[in-house]
Amino acid sequence: MGPETARGLLGTSFEIDEKMLTLEREWAERFDDVLPPAKVVRLFQAENKLETMMLMEIARDIPLAR
């Protein structure tokens, strides 16, 4: 993998992470309007666990860059 490709992949990964964080913050505000704060936290904790489990499944099939 060339340097430009590697930097591009890393940049794309950071962009996706930033967009996900923005979405999570927006939804946290929406949920905060209708749920108690403790339930909002619990919701995001559950979401984080599910996302981590899915990422582990995906990571098994993706080789590391050389």
Side-chain angles (χ1 to χ4, degrees):
M1 174 182 313
E4 284 103 28
T5 303
R7 284 189 200 101
L9 288 172
L10 190 57
T12 300
S13 177
F14 288 150
E15 288 175 17
I16 292 168
D17 289 345
E18 288 172 2
K19 288 178 182 179
M20 287 300 296
L21 182 57
T22 299
L23 276 174
E24 288 174 353
R25 286 183 174 166
E26 288 173 7
W27 278 103
E29 289 177 16
R30 290 181 186 184
F31 288 132
D32 204 31
D33 291 340
V34 295
L35 294 172
K39 288 199 180 205
V40 175
V41 169
R42 193 165 187 185
L43 173 67
F44 278 88
Q45 286 175 329
E47 174 70 21
N48 185 38
K49 274 194 176 215
L50 288 171
E51 184 179 357
T52 299
M53 289 169 37
M54 289 184 335
L55 289 173
M56 287 172 50
E57 288 286 323
I58 293 168
R60 277 194 277 186
D61 298 330
I62 298 175
L64 292 175
R66 295 183 191 250

